[in-house]
Amino acid sequence: MGENSLKSSVRPSFKSQLNESIDQVKEKLGRNVKIHNWNILFVSRFLESLGIQLGQERTQKLVTAYDDVFAENTKLFPDARYVLNFLKKKGVRMGVVIDGPSRRERKIIKKLGLIKYFSAVAISEEIGQNKFSNLPLKTALKAIGRRPQETMVVGDRIDKDIIHANKLGCISVKLERHGGRYANRRHKKADEKPKYVIANLKEL
């Protein structure tokens, strides 16, 4: 979320340098499970590449301001509210697993009025590991009180959603929205293959 939203808000003349900074951070830190806000790392490296020295405190304020604007402009896909209401009326216990800093993600949940739908909210910063590990999903499973084989996990990323759902024994569902960020990414190994593939949430 942070990476692509950050790219879209930067002028074209800076995009190549921003992309290079992002690639450098990813190459260095890879699948580090302890990182919860990649934006601060991307921005810090980007400013460094431009020769701008804001200092840690001012850089943090810059990223916090960006996160606030991002949260205020976040919207649900049209099918999401419908499906959430439908499942809630059916008595389905639901949880949400999120990568990101607690402050930003809690703000988004509050702004969109989502807390009433979920029996579990697992945010990586609050748990201590991001979705490159299976701890956030395990935490959500424990909170909703369901066994893995009774639980359907819906996500758009193979490396953060589907692989952990499969390894824990859940029913994995890959969401491939038209034009979605990860829609064209396919599994390469057996444990990455989703049980089901859907194009929108109503297919559930």
Side-chain angles (χ1 to χ4, degrees), residues 158 162-167 170-174 186-197:
I158 289 175
I162 303 306
I163 190 170
H164 299 311
N166 287 342
K167 288 184 176 180
C170 302
I171 302 167
S172 58
V173 181
K174 187 170 186 283
R186 299 291 182 261
H187 65 278
K188 297 179 179 179
K189 303 176 183 177
D191 61 2
E192 297 176 344
K193 183 179 181 180
K195 179 73 173 177
Y196 300 101
V197 176

Side-chain angles (χ1 to χ4, degrees), residues 12-61:
S13 59
F14 288 99
K15 279 190 175 181
S16 60
Q17 199 154 357
L18 174 61
N19 289 339
E20 185 178 344
S21 297
I22 289 173
D23 290 341
Q24 289 171 352
V25 171
K26 286 182 174 181
E27 184 177 353
K28 181 178 180 180
L29 297 172
R31 298 168 63 88
N32 190 311
V33 301
K34 297 292 185 180
I35 297 173
H36 311 290
N37 192 343
W38 290 87
N39 281 346
I40 188 69
L41 301 176
F42 297 150
V43 169
S44 296
R45 181 68 193 95
F46 180 55
L47 292 175
E48 182 183 340
S49 71
L50 296 175
I52 300 173
Q53 297 181 353
L54 291 184
Q56 184 175 356
E57 183 177 348
R58 292 175 68 189
T59 301
Q60 181 61 63
K61 287 181 178 180

Side-chain angles (χ1 to χ4, degrees), residues 85-99:
N85 283 322
F86 177 83
L87 294 175
K88 185 175 176 62
K89 288 179 181 178
K90 292 290 185 180
V92 176
R93 291 176 63 84
M94 293 180 281
V96 59
V97 182
I98 310 170
D99 264 353

Side-chain angles (χ1 to χ4, degrees), residues 96-158:
V96 59
V97 182
I98 310 170
D99 264 353
S102 179
R103 180 180 178 278
R104 182 184 71 200
E105 303 308 330
R106 290 286 176 185
K107 188 169 185 176
I108 292 172
I109 290 170
K110 182 178 180 180
K111 186 251 183 184
L112 297 177
L114 296 178
I115 194 65
K116 64 183 178 182
Y117 297 108
F118 299 118
S119 301
V121 176
I123 299 175
S124 68
E125 186 177 49
E126 298 174 2
I127 294 168
Q129 292 186 15
N130 62 38
K131 289 169 61 179
F132 281 129
S133 79
N134 62 18
L135 183 59
L137 180 55
K138 279 185 175 180
T139 301
L141 286 173
K142 183 177 180 180
I144 64 174
R146 292 291 185 269
R147 294 179 297 174
Q149 57 267 37
E150 300 173 321
T151 305
M152 182 178 292
V153 175
V154 183
D156 61 353
R157 287 190 62 158
I158 289 175

